[in-house]
Coordinates of all heavy atoms in Angstrom, one line a residue:
M13 N 89.1 106.4 152.8 CA 88.3 105.2 153.1 C 88.3 104.4 151.8 O 87.9 104.8 150.8 CB 86.9 105.7 153.4 CG 86.2 104.9 154.4 SD 86.8 105.1 156.0 CE 86.5 106.7 156.5
D14 N 88.6 103.2 151.9 CA 88.7 102.3 150.8 C 87.6 101.2 150.8 O 87.6 100.3 149.8 CB 90.0 101.8 150.4 CG 90.7 101.2 151.6 OD1 90.1 100.6 152.4 OD2 91.9 101.4 151.6
S15 N 86.9 101.0 151.8 CA 85.9 100.0 151.7 C 84.6 100.4 152.4 O 84.5 101.2 153.3 CB 86.3 98.6 152.3 OG 86.0 98.5 153.7
L16 N 83.5 99.9 151.9 CA 82.1 100.3 152.4 C 81.9 99.8 153.8 O 81.4 100.6 154.6 CB 81.1 99.6 151.4 CG 79.7 100.2 151.4 CD1 79.6 101.7 151.1 CD2 78.9 99.4 150.3
Q17 N 82.4 98.7 154.1 CA 82.4 98.1 155.5 C 83.2 99.1 156.5 O 82.7 99.5 157.5 CB 83.0 96.8 155.5 CG 82.8 96.2 157.0 CD 83.1 94.7 157.1 OE1 84.2 94.3 156.4 NE2 82.2 93.9 157.6
E18 N 84.4 99.6 156.1 CA 85.2 100.4 156.9 C 84.5 101.8 157.1 O 84.4 102.3 158.1 CB 86.6 100.6 156.3 CG 87.6 101.4 157.1 CD 88.8 101.7 156.3 OE1 89.1 101.3 155.2 OE2 89.6 102.5 156.8
Y19 N 83.8 102.2 155.9 CA 83.0 103.5 156.0 C 81.9 103.4 157.1 O 81.8 104.3 157.9 CB 82.4 103.7 154.6 CG 81.6 105.0 154.6 CD1 82.2 106.2 154.2 CD2 80.2 104.9 154.9 CE1 81.4 107.3 154.2 CE2 79.5 106.1 154.8 CZ 80.1 107.3 154.5 OH 79.3 108.5 154.4
F20 N 81.2 102.3 157.1 CA 80.1 102.2 158.0 C 80.6 101.9 159.5 O 79.9 102.2 160.5 CB 79.1 101.1 157.6 CG 78.3 101.5 156.5 CD1 78.1 100.7 155.3 CD2 77.6 102.8 156.4 CE1 77.4 101.1 154.2 CE2 76.8 103.1 155.3 CZ 76.8 102.3 154.3
R21 N 81.7 101.3 159.5 CA 82.3 101.1 160.9 C 82.8 102.5 161.5 O 82.8 102.6 162.7 CB 83.5 100.1 160.8 CG 83.0 98.8 160.8 CD 84.0 97.6 160.8 NE 83.3 96.4 160.8 CZ 83.9 95.2 160.5 NH1 85.2 95.1 160.1 NH2 83.2 94.1 160.5
N22 N 83.1 103.3 160.6 CA 83.5 104.7 161.2 C 82.4 105.8 161.2 O 82.5 106.8 161.8 CB 84.7 105.3 160.2 CG 85.9 104.5 160.6 OD1 86.6 104.6 161.6 ND2 86.3 103.6 159.7
A23 N 81.4 105.5 160.4 CA 80.4 106.5 160.2 C 79.2 106.3 161.2 O 79.1 105.2 161.8 CB 79.6 106.4 158.8
D24 N 78.6 107.4 161.6 CA 77.4 107.3 162.4 C 76.2 107.1 161.6 O 75.6 108.0 161.0 CB 77.3 108.6 163.3 CG 76.3 108.4 164.4 OD1 75.4 107.4 164.4 OD2 76.0 109.3 165.2
I25 N 75.8 105.8 161.5 CA 74.7 105.5 160.5 C 73.3 106.3 161.0 O 72.6 106.6 160.1 CB 74.4 104.0 160.5 CG1 75.8 103.4 159.9 CG2 73.2 103.6 159.6 CD1 75.7 101.9 159.9
A26 N 73.2 106.5 162.2 CA 72.0 107.2 162.7 C 71.9 108.6 162.1 O 70.7 109.1 162.0 CB 72.0 107.2 164.3
V27 N 73.0 109.1 161.8 CA 73.0 110.6 161.3 C 72.5 110.6 159.8 O 72.0 111.6 159.3 CB 74.4 111.3 161.4 CG1 74.6 112.5 160.7 CG2 74.7 111.4 162.8
L28 N 72.7 109.4 159.1 CA 72.3 109.5 157.7 C 70.7 109.4 157.4 O 70.2 109.7 156.4 CB 73.0 108.2 157.0 CG 74.4 108.2 156.9 CD1 74.9 106.8 156.5 CD2 74.8 109.1 155.7
A29 N 70.1 108.8 158.5 CA 68.7 108.5 158.4 C 67.8 109.3 159.3 O 68.4 109.8 160.4 CB 68.5 107.0 158.6
L30 N 66.6 109.4 159.1 CA 65.6 109.9 160.1 C 65.6 108.9 161.3 O 65.8 107.7 161.0 CB 64.2 110.0 159.4 CG 64.0 110.9 158.3 CD1 62.7 110.8 157.7 CD2 64.1 112.3 158.8
P31 N 65.4 109.4 162.5 CA 65.3 108.6 163.7 C 64.5 107.5 163.6 O 64.7 106.3 164.0 CB 64.9 109.5 164.8 CG 65.3 110.9 164.4 CD 65.3 110.9 162.9
S32 N 63.3 107.7 163.0 CA 62.2 106.6 162.8 C 62.8 105.5 161.9 O 62.7 104.3 162.2 CB 60.9 107.2 162.2 OG 61.2 107.9 161.0
N33 N 63.4 105.9 160.8 CA 63.9 104.8 159.8 C 65.1 104.2 160.4 O 65.3 103.0 160.1 CB 64.3 105.6 158.5 CG 63.1 105.8 157.7 OD1 62.1 105.2 157.8 ND2 63.2 106.8 156.9
F34 N 65.8 104.8 161.3 CA 67.0 104.2 162.0 C 66.4 103.1 162.9 O 67.0 101.9 162.9 CB 67.8 105.1 162.7 CG 69.1 104.6 163.3 CD1 70.1 104.2 162.6 CD2 69.1 104.2 164.6 CE1 71.2 103.4 163.1 CE2 70.2 103.5 165.2 CZ 71.3 103.1 164.4
T35 N 65.4 103.4 163.6 CA 64.7 102.4 164.5 C 64.1 101.2 163.7 O 64.4 100.1 164.1 CB 63.6 103.1 165.3 OG1 64.2 104.2 166.0 CG2 62.9 102.1 166.2
Y36 N 63.4 101.5 162.6 CA 62.8 100.4 161.8 C 63.9 99.6 161.1 O 63.8 98.4 161.1 CB 61.9 101.0 160.7 CG 60.9 102.0 161.3 CD1 60.3 103.0 160.4 CD2 60.4 102.0 162.6 CE1 59.4 103.8 161.0 CE2 59.5 102.9 163.0 CZ 58.9 103.8 162.2 OH 58.1 104.7 162.6
G37 N 65.0 100.2 160.6 CA 66.1 99.5 159.9 C 66.8 98.6 160.9 O 67.2 97.5 160.6
T38 N 67.0 99.1 162.1 CA 67.6 98.3 163.2 C 66.8 97.0 163.5 O 67.4 96.0 163.6 CB 67.8 99.2 164.4 OG1 68.6 100.3 164.1 CG2 68.6 98.4 165.5
A39 N 65.5 97.2 163.5 CA 64.6 96.1 163.8 C 64.7 95.0 162.7 O 64.8 93.8 162.9 CB 63.2 96.6 163.9
I40 N 64.8 95.6 161.4 CA 64.9 94.6 160.2 C 66.2 93.8 160.3 O 66.1 92.5 160.2 CB 64.9 95.4 158.9 CG1 63.4 96.0 158.7 CG2 65.3 94.5 157.7 CD1 63.3 97.0 157.5
V41 N 67.3 94.5 160.6 CA 68.6 93.6 160.6 C 68.7 92.7 161.8 O 69.1 91.6 161.7 CB 69.8 94.6 160.4 CG1 70.1 95.3 161.8 CG2 71.0 93.8 160.0
E42 N 68.1 93.2 162.9 CA 68.1 92.3 164.2 C 67.3 91.1 164.0 O 67.5 90.1 164.7 CB 67.7 93.2 165.4 CG 68.8 94.1 165.9 CD 68.4 94.8 167.1 OE1 67.3 94.9 167.5 OE2 69.3 95.6 167.6
R43 N 66.3 91.1 163.1 CA 65.4 89.9 162.8 C 66.0 89.1 161.7 O 65.3 88.2 161.2 CB 64.0 90.4 162.7 CG 63.3 90.9 164.0 CD 61.9 91.5 163.8 NE 61.1 90.4 163.3 CZ 59.8 90.6 162.8 NH1 59.3 91.8 162.7 NH2 59.1 89.7 162.4
G44 N 67.1 89.5 161.2 CA 67.8 88.7 160.2 C 67.3 88.9 158.8 O 67.4 88.0 157.9
A45 N 66.5 90.0 158.5 CA 65.9 90.1 157.2 C 66.7 90.9 156.2 O 66.2 91.8 155.5 CB 64.5 90.7 157.4
V46 N 68.0 90.6 156.1 CA 68.9 91.2 155.2 C 69.6 90.1 154.4 O 70.2 89.1 155.1 CB 70.0 92.1 155.8 CG1 71.0 92.5 154.7 CG2 69.4 93.4 156.4
E47 N 69.6 90.1 153.2 CA 70.2 89.0 152.3 C 71.0 89.6 151.3 O 70.5 90.4 150.4 CB 69.1 88.1 151.6 CG 69.6 87.0 150.9 CD 68.4 86.3 150.1 OE1 67.3 86.4 150.5 OE2 68.7 85.8 149.0
I48 N 72.3 89.4 151.3 CA 73.3 90.0 150.3 C 73.1 89.3 149.0 O 73.2 88.0 149.0 CB 74.7 89.8 150.8 CG1 75.0 90.5 152.2 CG2 75.8 90.4 149.8 CD1 74.8 92.1 152.2
I49 N 73.0 90.1 147.9 CA 73.0 89.6 146.5 C 74.3 89.5 146.0 O 74.8 88.6 145.3 CB 72.0 90.4 145.7 CG1 70.6 90.3 146.3 CG2 72.0 89.9 144.3 CD1 69.7 91.5 145.8
A50 N 75.0 90.7 146.1 CA 76.4 90.8 145.5 C 77.1 91.8 146.3 O 76.6 92.8 146.9 CB 76.3 91.3 144.1
R51 N 78.4 91.6 146.5 CA 79.1 92.5 147.3 C 80.6 92.6 146.9 O 81.2 91.6 146.4 CB 79.1 92.0 148.8 CG 79.9 93.0 149.8 CD 79.8 92.3 151.1 NE 80.9 92.9 152.0 CZ 81.1 92.4 153.2 NH1 80.6 91.4 153.7 NH2 82.3 92.9 153.8
T52 N 81.2 93.8 146.7 CA 82.5 94.1 146.5 C 83.0 94.9 147.6 O 82.2 95.3 148.6 CB 82.8 94.8 145.1 OG1 82.4 96.2 145.2 CG2 82.0 94.2 144.0
S53 N 84.2 95.4 147.7 CA 84.7 96.1 148.7 C 84.0 97.5 148.9 O 83.9 98.2 150.0 CB 86.2 96.3 148.7 OG 86.6 97.1 147.6
T54 N 83.5 98.0 147.7 CA 82.9 99.3 147.6 C 81.5 99.4 147.2 O 80.9 100.5 147.2 CB 83.8 100.3 146.7 OG1 83.7 99.7 145.4 CG2 85.2 100.6 147.2
T55 N 80.9 98.3 147.0 CA 79.5 98.1 146.6 C 78.8 97.1 147.3 O 79.4 96.0 147.6 CB 79.3 98.0 145.1 OG1 79.8 96.7 144.7 CG2 80.0 99.1 144.3
V56 N 77.5 97.2 147.5 CA 76.7 96.1 148.1 C 75.3 96.2 147.4 O 74.8 97.3 147.3 CB 76.7 95.9 149.5 CG1 76.0 97.2 150.2 CG2 76.0 94.6 150.0
E57 N 74.9 95.0 147.1 CA 73.4 95.0 146.6 C 72.7 93.9 147.5 O 73.3 92.8 147.7 CB 73.4 94.6 145.1 CG 72.0 94.6 144.7 CD 71.8 94.7 143.1 OE1 72.9 94.7 142.5 OE2 70.7 94.9 142.7
A58 N 71.6 94.2 148.0 CA 71.0 93.3 149.0 C 69.5 93.4 149.1 O 68.9 94.6 148.7 CB 71.6 93.6 150.4
W59 N 68.8 92.5 149.5 CA 67.4 92.5 149.8 C 67.3 92.8 151.4 O 68.1 92.4 152.2 CB 66.7 91.1 149.6 CG 66.6 90.6 148.2 CD1 67.3 89.6 147.6 CD2 65.7 91.2 147.2 NE1 66.9 89.6 146.3 CE2 65.8 90.6 146.0 CE3 64.7 92.2 147.3 CZ2 65.2 90.7 144.9 CZ3 64.0 92.5 146.1 CH2 64.2 91.7 145.0
A60 N 66.2 93.6 151.7 CA 66.0 94.0 153.0 C 64.5 94.1 153.3 O 63.8 94.6 152.5 CB 66.7 95.3 153.4
G61 N 64.1 93.5 154.4 CA 62.6 93.6 154.8 C 61.9 92.3 154.5 O 62.5 91.3 154.3
G62 N 60.6 92.4 154.3 CA 59.7 91.4 154.0 C 59.2 90.7 155.3 O 58.9 89.4 155.2
L63 N 59.2 91.3 156.4 CA 58.8 90.7 157.7 C 57.3 91.0 158.0 O 56.8 92.0 157.6 CB 59.7 91.3 158.9 CG 61.2 90.8 158.8 CD1 62.0 91.7 159.7 CD2 61.4 89.4 159.2
E64 N 56.9 90.1 158.8 CA 55.5 90.3 159.4 C 55.6 91.3 160.6 O 56.7 91.5 161.1 CB 54.9 89.0 159.9 CG 54.7 88.0 158.9 CD 53.7 88.3 157.9 OE1 52.6 88.9 158.3 OE2 53.8 88.0 156.6
G65 N 54.5 91.9 161.1 CA 54.5 92.7 162.2 C 54.3 94.2 161.9 O 54.2 94.5 160.7
T66 N 54.4 95.1 163.0 CA 54.3 96.5 162.7 C 55.6 97.0 162.1 O 56.7 96.3 162.2 CB 54.0 97.1 164.1 OG1 55.2 97.0 164.9 CG2 52.9 96.5 164.8
V67 N 55.5 98.2 161.7 CA 56.7 98.9 161.1 C 57.8 99.0 162.1 O 58.9 98.8 161.9 CB 56.3 100.3 160.5 CG1 57.6 101.2 160.2 CG2 55.3 100.1 159.4
R68 N 57.3 99.3 163.4 CA 58.4 99.4 164.4 C 59.0 98.2 164.8 O 60.3 98.1 165.1 CB 57.7 100.0 165.7 CG 58.6 100.2 166.8 CD 58.0 101.3 167.9 NE 58.0 102.6 167.4 CZ 58.9 103.5 167.5 NH1 60.1 103.1 168.0 NH2 58.7 104.7 167.0
Q69 N 58.4 97.1 164.5 CA 58.9 95.7 164.7 C 59.7 95.2 163.5 O 60.2 94.1 163.5 CB 57.8 94.6 164.9 CG 57.1 94.9 166.2 CD 55.8 94.1 166.4 OE1 55.2 93.7 165.4 NE2 55.3 93.9 167.6
G70 N 59.9 96.1 162.5 CA 60.6 95.9 161.2 C 59.7 95.2 160.2 O 60.3 94.7 159.2
G71 N 58.4 95.2 160.4 CA 57.6 94.7 159.4 C 57.4 95.5 158.2 O 57.6 96.7 158.3
G72 N 57.1 94.9 156.9 CA 56.9 95.7 155.8 C 57.5 95.0 154.6 O 57.9 93.8 154.7
S73 N 57.4 95.7 153.4 CA 57.7 95.0 152.1 C 59.2 94.7 152.0 O 60.0 95.5 152.7 CB 57.3 95.9 151.0 OG 56.0 96.1 151.0
R74 N 59.6 93.7 151.2 CA 61.0 93.5 150.9 C 61.4 94.4 149.8 O 60.8 94.5 148.7 CB 61.0 92.0 150.6 CG 62.4 91.4 150.4 CD 62.3 89.9 150.1 NE 63.5 89.2 150.2 CZ 64.0 88.5 149.3 NH1 63.3 88.3 148.1 NH2 65.1 87.9 149.5
R75 N 62.5 95.1 149.9 CA 63.1 95.9 148.9 C 64.6 95.6 148.6 O 65.2 95.1 149.4 CB 62.9 97.4 149.4 CG 61.7 97.8 149.8 CD 60.7 97.9 148.6 NE 59.5 98.6 149.1 CZ 58.3 98.5 148.3 NH1 58.3 97.8 147.2 NH2 57.3 99.2 148.7
R76 N 64.9 96.0 147.4 CA 66.3 95.8 146.9 C 67.1 97.1 147.1 O 66.6 98.2 146.6 CB 66.2 95.4 145.5 CG 67.5 94.7 145.0 CD 67.3 94.1 143.6 NE 68.5 93.5 143.1 CZ 68.6 92.4 142.4 NH1 67.5 91.7 142.2 NH2 69.8 92.0 142.0
V77 N 68.2 96.9 147.7 CA 68.9 98.2 148.1 C 70.4 98.1 147.5 O 71.0 97.0 147.4 CB 69.2 98.3 149.7 CG1 70.1 99.4 150.0 CG2 67.9 98.4 150.3
Q78 N 70.9 99.2 146.9 CA 72.3 99.2 146.5 C 73.0 100.4 147.3 O 72.4 101.5 147.3 CB 72.3 99.6 145.0 CG 71.7 98.5 144.1 CD 71.5 99.0 142.8 OE1 70.8 100.0 142.4 NE2 72.1 98.4 141.7
L79 N 74.1 100.1 147.7 CA 75.0 101.2 148.4 C 76.4 101.1 147.7 O 76.8 100.0 147.3 CB 75.3 100.7 149.9 CG 74.0 100.5 150.7 CD1 74.4 100.1 152.1 CD2 73.2 101.9 150.8
R80 N 76.9 102.3 147.5 CA 78.2 102.3 146.8 C 79.1 103.5 147.5 O 78.5 104.5 147.9 CB 77.8 102.8 145.4 CG 79.1 103.1 144.5 CD 78.8 103.5 143.1 NE 77.9 102.4 142.4 CZ 78.5 101.5 141.7 NH1 79.8 101.4 141.5 NH2 77.8 100.6 141.1
L81 N 80.3 103.2 147.5 CA 81.3 104.2 148.1 C 82.3 104.5 146.9 O 82.8 103.6 146.3 CB 82.1 103.6 149.2 CG 83.0 104.6 150.0 CD1 82.2 105.6 150.7 CD2 83.8 103.9 151.0
S82 N 82.3 105.9 146.6 CA 83.2 106.4 145.6 C 84.1 107.4 146.3 O 83.7 108.5 146.6 CB 82.6 107.1 144.4 OG 81.7 106.1 143.8
G83 N 85.3 107.1 146.7 CA 86.2 107.9 147.4 C 85.6 108.0 148.8 O 85.4 107.0 149.4
D84 N 85.3 109.1 149.2 CA 84.5 109.3 150.5 C 83.1 109.6 150.4 O 82.4 109.9 151.3 CB 85.1 110.5 151.4 CG 86.4 110.1 151.9 OD1 86.8 108.9 152.1 OD2 87.2 111.0 152.3
Q85 N 82.6 109.5 149.2 CA 81.3 109.8 148.7 C 80.3 108.5 148.8 O 80.6 107.6 148.0 CB 81.2 110.4 147.4 CG 79.9 111.1 147.0 CD 79.6 112.3 148.0 OE1 80.4 113.2 148.3 NE2 78.3 112.3 148.5
L86 N 79.4 108.4 149.7 CA 78.4 107.4 149.8 C 77.1 107.7 148.9 O 76.6 108.8 148.9 CB 77.9 107.2 151.2 CG 76.9 106.1 151.5 CD1 77.6 104.7 151.2 CD2 76.4 106.2 152.8
S87 N 76.8 106.7 148.0 CA 75.4 106.9 147.3 C 74.7 105.6 147.6 O 75.2 104.5 147.9 CB 75.7 107.2 145.9 OG 76.5 106.1 145.3
W88 N 73.4 105.7 147.4 CA 72.4 104.6 147.6 C 71.2 104.7 146.9 O 70.9 105.7 146.3 CB 72.1 104.7 149.2 CG 71.4 105.9 149.6 CD1 70.1 106.2 149.6 CD2 71.9 107.1 150.1 NE1 69.8 107.4 150.0 CE2 71.0 108.0 150.4 CE3 73.3 107.4 150.5 CZ2 71.2 109.2 151.0 CZ3 73.6 108.6 151.1 CH2 72.5 109.5 151.3
H89 N 70.6 103.6 146.7 CA 69.3 103.5 146.1 C 68.4 102.3 146.7 O 69.1 101.3 146.9 CB 69.4 103.3 144.6 CG 68.1 103.2 143.9 ND1 67.3 104.4 143.9 CD2 67.4 102.3 143.2 CE1 66.1 104.0 143.2 NE2 66.2 102.9 142.8
C90 N 67.2 102.6 146.9 CA 66.3 101.6 147.4 C 65.2 101.5 146.4 O 64.6 102.6 146.1 CB 65.8 101.9 148.8 SG 64.5 100.7 149.3
T91 N 64.7 100.3 146.0 CA 63.6 100.3 145.0 C 62.2 100.7 145.6 O 61.3 100.9 144.9 CB 63.4 98.8 144.5 OG1 63.3 97.9 145.7 CG2 64.5 98.3 143.6
G92 N 62.2 100.9 147.0 CA 61.0 101.4 147.6 C 61.0 103.0 147.6 O 60.0 103.5 147.9
N93 N 62.1 103.7 147.1 CA 62.0 105.0 147.1 C 61.8 105.6 145.7 O 62.4 105.1 144.7 CB 63.4 105.6 147.6 CG 63.6 105.4 149.1 OD1 62.6 105.2 149.8 ND2 64.8 105.3 149.5
P94 N 61.0 106.7 145.6 CA 61.0 107.4 144.3 C 62.4 107.9 143.9 O 63.1 108.4 144.8 CB 60.0 108.5 144.5 CG 59.6 108.4 145.9 CD 60.3 107.3 146.6
K95 N 62.7 107.9 142.6 CA 64.0 108.4 142.2 C 64.4 109.8 142.7 O 65.5 110.1 143.2 CB 64.1 108.5 140.6 CG 64.6 107.2 140.1 CD 66.0 107.5 139.4 CE 66.8 106.2 138.8 NZ 66.3 104.9 139.2
A96 N 63.5 110.7 142.7 CA 63.6 112.1 143.1 C 63.8 112.2 144.6 O 64.0 113.4 145.0 CB 62.6 113.1 142.6
H97 N 63.5 111.2 145.4 CA 63.5 111.4 146.9 C 64.0 110.1 147.4 O 63.4 109.4 148.2 CB 61.9 111.5 147.3 CG 61.8 111.9 148.7 ND1 62.2 113.1 149.2 CD2 61.2 111.2 149.7 CE1 62.0 113.1 150.5 NE2 61.3 112.0 150.8
D98 N 65.4 110.0 147.2 CA 66.0 108.8 147.6 C 66.7 109.0 149.0 O 67.8 109.0 149.2 CB 67.1 108.5 146.5 CG 67.2 106.9 146.4 OD1 66.4 106.2 147.1 OD2 68.0 106.6 145.6
I99 N 65.8 108.9 150.0 CA 66.2 109.1 151.3 C 67.0 107.8 151.8 O 66.8 106.8 151.2 CB 65.1 109.4 152.3 CG1 64.1 108.3 152.3 CG2 64.5 110.8 152.0 CD1 63.2 108.2 153.6
F100 N 67.8 108.0 152.9 CA 68.5 106.8 153.5 C 67.5 106.1 154.3 O 67.3 106.4 155.5 CB 69.7 107.2 154.2 CG 70.7 106.1 154.4 CD1 71.7 105.9 153.4 CD2 70.8 105.4 155.6 CE1 72.6 104.8 153.5 CE2 71.7 104.4 155.7 CZ 72.6 104.1 154.6
C101 N 66.7 105.2 153.6 CA 65.5 104.7 154.2 C 65.8 103.5 155.3 O 66.9 103.2 155.4 CB 64.6 104.2 153.1 SG 65.3 102.8 152.2
K102 N 64.7 102.9 155.7 CA 65.0 101.8 156.8 C 65.7 100.6 156.1 O 66.5 99.9 156.8 CB 63.6 101.4 157.3 CG 62.6 100.8 156.4 CD 61.3 100.5 157.0 CE 60.3 100.0 156.0 NZ 59.0 99.6 156.7
H103 N 65.5 100.3 154.8 CA 66.2 99.3 154.1 C 67.6 99.6 153.9 O 68.5 98.7 154.2 CB 65.5 98.9 152.7 CG 64.0 98.8 152.7 ND1 63.1 99.8 152.4 CD2 63.3 97.9 153.2 CE1 61.9 99.5 152.6 NE2 62.0 98.3 153.2
C104 N 67.9 100.7 153.6 CA 69.3 101.2 153.5 C 70.0 101.1 155.0 O 71.1 100.6 155.0 CB 69.5 102.6 153.1 SG 68.9 102.9 151.3
V105 N 69.3 101.5 156.0 CA 69.8 101.3 157.3 C 70.1 99.9 157.7 O 71.2 99.6 158.2 CB 68.8 102.0 158.4 CG1 69.3 101.7 159.8 CG2 68.8 103.4 158.2
A106 N 69.2 99.0 157.3 CA 69.3 97.6 157.7 C 70.6 97.0 156.9 O 71.4 96.4 157.6 CB 68.2 96.9 157.2
V107 N 70.7 97.4 155.7 CA 71.9 96.8 154.9 C 73.2 97.4 155.4 O 74.2 96.8 155.6 CB 71.7 97.1 153.4 CG1 72.9 96.6 152.6 CG2 70.5 96.3 152.9
A108 N 73.2 98.7 155.8 CA 74.4 99.4 156.2 C 74.9 98.7 157.6 O 76.1 98.4 157.8 CB 74.2 100.9 156.5
L109 N 73.9 98.5 158.5 CA 74.2 97.9 159.8 C 74.7 96.4 159.6 O 75.5 96.0 160.3 CB 72.9 97.9 160.8 CG 72.5 99.3 161.2 CD1 71.2 99.2 161.9 CD2 73.6 99.8 162.3
F110 N 74.0 95.7 158.7 CA 74.5 94.4 158.3 C 75.9 94.3 158.0 O 76.8 93.5 158.6 CB 73.6 93.8 157.2 CG 74.0 92.4 156.9 CD1 73.3 91.3 157.6 CD2 75.0 92.1 156.0 CE1 73.7 90.0 157.3 CE2 75.3 90.8 155.7 CZ 74.7 89.7 156.2
L111 N 76.2 95.2 157.1 CA 77.7 95.4 156.6 C 78.6 95.7 157.8 O 79.7 95.2 157.9 CB 77.7 96.3 155.5 CG 78.8 96.1 154.5 CD1 78.6 94.8 153.7 CD2 78.7 97.3 153.4
K112 N 78.2 96.7 158.6 CA 79.0 97.1 159.6 C 79.4 96.0 160.6 O 80.6 95.9 161.0 CB 78.3 98.3 160.5 CG 78.9 98.8 161.6 CD 78.2 99.8 162.2 CE 79.0 100.4 163.4 NZ 78.4 101.8 163.8
N113 N 78.4 95.1 160.8 CA 78.6 94.0 161.8 C 79.1 92.7 161.1 O 79.2 91.7 161.8 CB 77.3 93.8 162.6 CG 77.0 95.1 163.4 OD1 77.9 95.7 164.0 ND2 75.7 95.5 163.3
A114 N 79.2 92.7 159.8 CA 79.6 91.5 159.1 C 81.1 91.2 159.4 O 81.8 92.1 159.8 CB 79.2 91.6 157.7
E115 N 81.4 90.0 159.1 CA 82.9 89.5 159.3 C 83.7 90.3 158.3 O 83.3 90.5 157.2 CB 82.9 88.0 159.0 CG 82.3 87.2 160.1 CD 83.0 87.3 161.5 OE1 84.3 87.0 161.5 OE2 82.4 87.6 162.5
Ligands
ZN4 ZN1 63.7 101.5 151.3

């Protein structure tokens, strides 16, 4: 796998995240609340979130997300997550789905 976009087109993003976070992240991207800051073929940095409404509607704070692919190894960080507990959160889901569906 040589690009992050190809990775997400082949991966089941729902498996990376808790079902609730997959639902919330899907709502965030469907409402257009993902903004790419910088992107290479194997890295992306983006803002996600900052919408009004309930969590289920994609509402919540805006967070900065970094995703990186090294070989077949995906790594991620969201500024909303504590360092020791870096789950694939709703913001990571939103950015991953954005990339998957981008041109
Ligand atoms: Zn997050």
Side-chain angles (χ1 to χ4, degrees):
M13 213 68 69
D14 50 30
S15 89
L16 202 49
Q17 185 172 47
E18 190 188 350
Y19 180 89
F20 287 128
R21 284 184 174 159
N22 288 288
D24 186 356
I25 296 168
V27 170
L28 291 167
L30 295 171
S32 54
N33 283 333
F34 185 75
T35 300
Y36 307 155
T38 300
I40 289 170
V41 75
E42 284 180 350
R43 289 177 63 193
V46 172
E47 181 189 334
I48 301 295
I49 298 163
R51 184 178 156 190
T52 70
S53 65
T54 56
T55 65
V56 65
E57 185 159 6
W59 290 108
L63 293 166
E64 300 291 323
T66 65
V67 173
R68 185 161 288 277
Q69 291 166 342
S73 301
R74 190 175 190 235
R75 303 293 191 198
R76 193 166 179 143
V77 173
Q78 294 168 303
L79 305 175
R80 174 183 301 273
L81 188 68
S82 301
D84 284 339
Q85 194 64 44
L86 179 69
S87 58
W88 60 86
H89 181 66
C90 171
T91 53
N93 291 335
K95 268 248 174 346
H97 188 65
D98 216 1
I99 61 164
F100 203 81
C101 65
K102 61 184 181 180
H103 308 102
C104 294
V105 169
V107 175
L109 289 171
F110 181 92
L111 209 59
K112 177 177 183 161
N113 297 318
E115 290 295 305

